[in-house]
């Protein structure tokens, strides 16, 4: 065996040893889950806001407030207006999903999510819908994923 072959063989053996003996890294977590305290509206609250549809249909439809479990909490009918008000009963736990269903079937439904009992004005538009969809895909409607 000449010197060149000996060096190649030694290099190969060292590479294999480093590979075989190397420590395996544990996967890194991007973000640790922070325990979320359960929040609720302690008294009756009126949520209000404006619907901003991205299409150009006349205003009209219904706004629903659902618990995270899917239970309906409140609803409002919009006739020739984009403003809504929802009366939320006391001790309603958060998050609440606000869903606007337009009366025109070819218009898009919109969503906003309530995660803070101190905030009572929520506009519902394409941007809040995108945030809600992203939060849902990341793990759920928590303050961590909803508030920017």
């Amino acid at each position: 065996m000449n010197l060149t072959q000996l060096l190649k063989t030694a290099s190969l053996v060292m590479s294999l040893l480093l590979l075989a003996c190397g420590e395996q890294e544990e996967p890194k977590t991007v973000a640790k889950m922070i325990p979320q305290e359960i929040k609720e509206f302690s008294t009756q609250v009126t949520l209000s806001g404006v619907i901003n549809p991205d299409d150009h249909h006349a205003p009209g439809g219904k706004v629903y407030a659902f618990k995270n479990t899917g239970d309906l909490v409140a609803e409002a009918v919009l006739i020739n207006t984009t403003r809504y008000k929802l009366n939320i009963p006391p001790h309603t736990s958060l998050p609440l999903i606000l869903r606007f269903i337009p009366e025109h079937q070819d218009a898009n439904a919109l969503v906003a999510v309530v995660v803070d009992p101190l905030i009572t004005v929520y506009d519902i538009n394409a941007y809040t819908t995108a945030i809600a969809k992203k939060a849902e895909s990341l793990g759920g409607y928590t303050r961590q994923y909803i508030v920017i």
Side-chain angles (χ1 to χ4, degrees), residues 1-144:
M1 207 187 255
N2 66 24
L3 186 58
T4 306
Q5 288 177 333
L6 184 61
L7 288 174
K8 285 182 182 178
T9 304
S11 176
L12 180 62
V13 169
M14 291 297 288
S15 296
L16 289 173
L17 282 173
L18 287 174
L19 249 168
C21 296
E23 293 182 28
Q24 290 197 356
E25 285 188 32
E26 293 184 25
K28 296 178 183 175
T29 56
V30 175
K32 293 185 179 183
M33 290 299 292
I34 300 169
Q36 301 288 320
E37 66 181 77
I38 296 178
K39 294 185 177 184
E40 67 176 25
F41 291 112
S42 57
T43 61
Q44 179 172 325
V45 152
T46 300
L47 299 179
S48 62
V50 176
I51 308 296
N52 298 88
D54 52 358
D55 49 33
H56 300 288
H57 289 92
K62 289 186 178 181
V63 177
Y64 299 95
F66 294 100
K67 290 184 180 179
N68 208 20
T69 59
D71 296 334
L72 180 64
V73 175
E75 68 180 89
V77 177
L78 306 181
I79 301 173
N80 295 323
T81 185
T82 57
R83 298 190 179 280
Y84 73 91
K85 285 188 178 185
L86 294 166
N87 293 319
I88 307 300
H91 307 294
T92 299
S93 61
L94 299 178
L96 277 181
I97 296 95
L98 305 179
R99 184 175 307 274
F100 169 68
I101 307 295
E103 64 185 8
H104 297 282
Q105 294 192 8
D106 58 338
N108 295 323
L110 300 170
V111 178
V113 180
V114 178
V115 293
D116 192 325
L118 300 177
I119 301 171
T120 59
V121 177
Y122 289 88
D123 290 348
I124 305 173
N125 52 51
Y127 185 64
T128 61
T129 301
I131 292 170
K133 285 181 181 179
K134 185 64 174 180
E136 188 175 33
S137 74
L138 290 172
Y141 299 127
T142 64
R143 182 174 180 81
Q144 175 185 5

